[in-house]
Amino acid sequence: MLRMYSLMLALTLGLTGCASWFEDDSPPPHVSLVKVEVVRAKLLEQKFKLFFRVDNRDDADLTVRGLIYKVSLGDFVLTEGESDEWLTVPPRSHKFFRVSVRTNLWPQIRDVVQMLKNPNKPVPYRLEGELKTGLFIGYDVQVNHNGEIIPGDFIPERHR
C-alpha cells in the first residue's frame, strides 16, 4: 500500500511540471492598421485596401496564419472579415500585409457625410480581432487597437 501511495505522489508531483512545458512567457505580437486605401467608391459599394503591420517582439520567428478583424470608424462598423494570408515575421522585426475589402456605407451615409464636413478633423477608429499564429500548435492573440485617421487624406481631389 505504501508503494502505491508513493507512486501516486511521484506521478502527481511529476505531472505538475508538465504544465509549464506549454507556458509561453514571450511578449505577444502587436497588430495595427497603418493605412486605408480607397480603391473605388460608388454609391452602393466601396472597395478598400487595409494595410496591417504585425510587430514580432520575440526572439524567434513568428508564423502568422491569418487575421480575423473588425474595423469600426467612429460609431459604425466599416468592415469585418477574415484574412487567411500566411507570413513569417523575423525576430524583433515587423511585416506588412494587405486585405482587400468591400463594404456598403449606404446605411451610414448620414454619419459619413457628417465626418466629411470637416475633412481635417481626426476620426477615431478601432481595430478588434484575433491574430492566428503558430505553425503546429495554434495560438490566437487578441487584437485591440485604437487610433485616428484624417478623412481629408483619402479624398484624391484634395491632393492636387
Side-chain angles (χ1 to χ4, degrees), residues 20-135:
S20 66
W21 291 352
F22 300 106
E23 282 186 21
D24 190 10
D25 58 349
S26 62
H30 182 261
V31 180
S32 57
L33 177 66
V34 292
K35 184 179 176 186
V36 177
E37 183 179 294
V38 178
V39 176
R40 184 172 58 206
K42 292 185 176 183
L43 187 61
L44 295 177
E45 180 186 62
Q46 299 77 37
K47 292 183 179 181
F48 300 98
K49 286 184 185 173
L50 305 177
F51 292 85
F52 295 98
R53 175 181 166 149
V54 179
D55 293 311
N56 182 4
R57 301 184 281 187
D58 196 10
D59 293 326
D61 283 346
L62 172 69
T63 301
V64 175
R65 297 179 291 119
L67 174 68
I68 299 170
Y69 60 89
K70 177 180 171 184
V71 179
S72 302
L73 197 60
D75 293 332
F76 66 90
V77 175
L78 175 66
T79 187
E80 58 186 319
E82 184 172 350
S83 166
D84 57 358
E85 181 177 340
W86 281 59
L87 64 124
T88 301
V89 185
R92 304 271 177 210
S93 185
H94 65 271
K95 276 205 173 172
F96 297 94
F97 70 97
R98 71 171 189 235
V99 177
S100 297
V101 298
R102 292 181 201 189
T103 188
N104 180 3
L105 295 177
W106 180 250
Q108 295 90 6
I109 193 69
R110 185 172 287 152
D111 297 330
V112 172
V113 169
Q114 189 68 28
M115 281 190 285
L116 293 176
K117 279 186 178 178
N118 186 355
N120 294 323
K121 180 182 175 190
V123 176
Y125 76 85
R126 179 165 181 77
L127 169 63
E128 301 172 83
E130 218 172 68
L131 185 70
K132 296 186 276 182
T133 66
L135 192 56

